[in-house]
Amino acid sequence: MKNNGLPLFYSTPQVLRFEDHKDLVLERKQDFSFAAKTNAVPLSPVEFVPASRHYPIVFVKGDSLPTAVAVTGLKEGQNLFVDSDGKWREGTYIPAYVRRYPFILIQSEDKSQTVLGFDGSCDRIKSASEAEDGAALFAEDGKAGEATAPMMEFCNSFHQSSLRGNDFAKALAEQNLLVDKQVNMSFADKSHYRLDGLLVVDEERFRDLPQDVLIDWHKRGFNDAVVLHLASTQNWQTLLDLNEKAAPAKAA
């Protein structure tokens, strides 16, 4: 995951304002092309149940706390779940971080409030005259429009889940449970690739946690999250299989 000081996917985040954006709409047709070259997507613990069915769930080092991510590709710049038409693989869970785009909560400079913003570089946001089928960002009276009204609630819910995710990551770090993990892969064409920079929970350390910590974690749902994280390792094979299917066919 790249870190250029901006949130993943967002090139030009800006606050949504009626006076500036009243004529803009969001095209209804979904297009996940913006995530086609991302091999890891942030996850909150509340997503571990559906995500663990399809992705390996690991952690990556952050500025202050580790971040849980769903691994979507085996190589840098590869997302095996987004096809050339920008469609997410049918029948697989789409992380909330992806579904939130192009909207995002932006904190005021004094950090006293958060407001809804969007990525100005998103191809789906256009003027109403340019869009074939668009949902308005604003209603005529200046209130949230069809496209933004549900996203305000979604982004707020996502923010709260992210805060709980921070609590989970902090608890893992405090108990020194996360260890470095390298994934070495051998492909059918006999090439090799190593995915590093990953962190995983050390299972033995987890099982040796003091009883009072385990009881507290049980109440907070952290034990379940750890178990789902550990169980998700079975999905590395899923990625290998998808990578094999995506590989270009050899010439006869």
Side-chain angles (χ1 to χ4, degrees):
M1 297 174 63
K2 296 179 179 179
N3 183 6
N4 57 3
L6 292 172
L8 179 67
F9 303 145
Y10 297 82
S11 299
T12 55
Q14 53 189 279
V15 174
L16 192 60
R17 295 186 177 90
F18 176 69
E19 56 270 23
D20 297 327
H21 309 121
K22 60 184 178 181
D23 296 324
L24 296 182
V25 300
L26 175 72
E27 286 196 330
R28 289 186 173 87
K29 182 181 178 181
Q30 286 191 321
D31 184 353
F32 297 106
S33 297
F34 63 88
K37 294 184 178 180
T38 300
N39 68 341
V41 177
L43 278 180
S44 64
V46 297
E47 300 180 87
F48 280 18
V49 170
S52 65
R53 301 187 185 118
H54 308 118
Y55 313 101
I57 299 172
V58 298
F59 298 83
V60 294
K61 295 177 182 178
D63 293 335
S64 57
L65 289 171
T67 300
V69 297
V71 180
T72 57
L74 296 175
K75 301 177 181 179
E76 187 71 31
Q78 177 195 62
N79 187 337
L80 294 166
F81 293 83
V82 178
D83 65 19
S84 58
D85 294 324
K87 295 180 180 178
W88 203 275
R89 187 172 183 81
E90 187 175 356
T92 59
Y93 177 72
I94 305 175
Y97 191 101
V98 174
R99 288 181 279 127
R100 176 184 65 162
Y101 187 84
F103 299 102
I104 188 172
L105 289 184
I106 297 178
Q107 198 170 51
S108 61
E109 290 186 6
D110 61 4
K111 297 184 178 181
S112 62
Q113 62 177 335
T114 55
V115 294
L116 190 66
F118 70 101
D119 184 10
S121 300
C122 177
D123 293 336
R124 292 176 60 207
I125 291 185
K126 301 178 178 179
S127 65
S129 60
E130 295 176 329
E132 294 183 6
D133 181 22
L137 301 191
F138 286 99
E140 292 184 1
D141 59 3
K143 294 181 179 179
E146 180 186 351
T148 51
M151 291 307 299
M152 292 176 67
E153 181 177 352
F154 184 86
C155 286
N156 278 307
S157 176
F158 177 86
H159 178 65
Q160 294 303 315
S161 296
S162 296
L163 293 178
R164 290 194 292 273
N166 289 341
D167 291 339
F168 177 51
K170 183 178 180 181
L172 292 175
E174 287 176 345
Q175 296 299 325
N176 195 30
L177 290 192
L178 294 175
V179 295
D180 291 318
K181 173 72 173 179
Q182 290 182 344
V183 179
N184 296 297
M185 293 159 288
S186 299
F187 300 121
D189 62 1
K190 297 184 179 180
S191 64
H192 302 275
Y193 193 81
R194 186 179 73 185
L195 200 60
D196 52 21
L198 309 179
L199 299 170
V200 297
V201 170
D202 185 290
E203 190 169 352
E204 290 188 9
R205 294 182 191 178
F206 172 60
R207 296 189 184 282
D208 288 339
L209 284 176
Q211 189 71 14
D212 60 331
V213 173
L214 289 172
I215 292 174
D216 176 59
W217 281 22
H218 172 71
K219 293 177 181 178
R220 301 167 74 183
F222 292 174
N223 291 337
D224 293 341
V226 170
V227 171
L228 288 165
H229 152 64
L230 293 172
S232 74
T233 57
Q234 64 185 325
N235 293 319
W236 287 110
Q237 185 59 50
T238 298
L239 295 189
L240 285 167
D241 293 342
L242 290 175
N243 186 79
E244 179 66 16
K245 292 178 181 178
K250 292 182 179 180

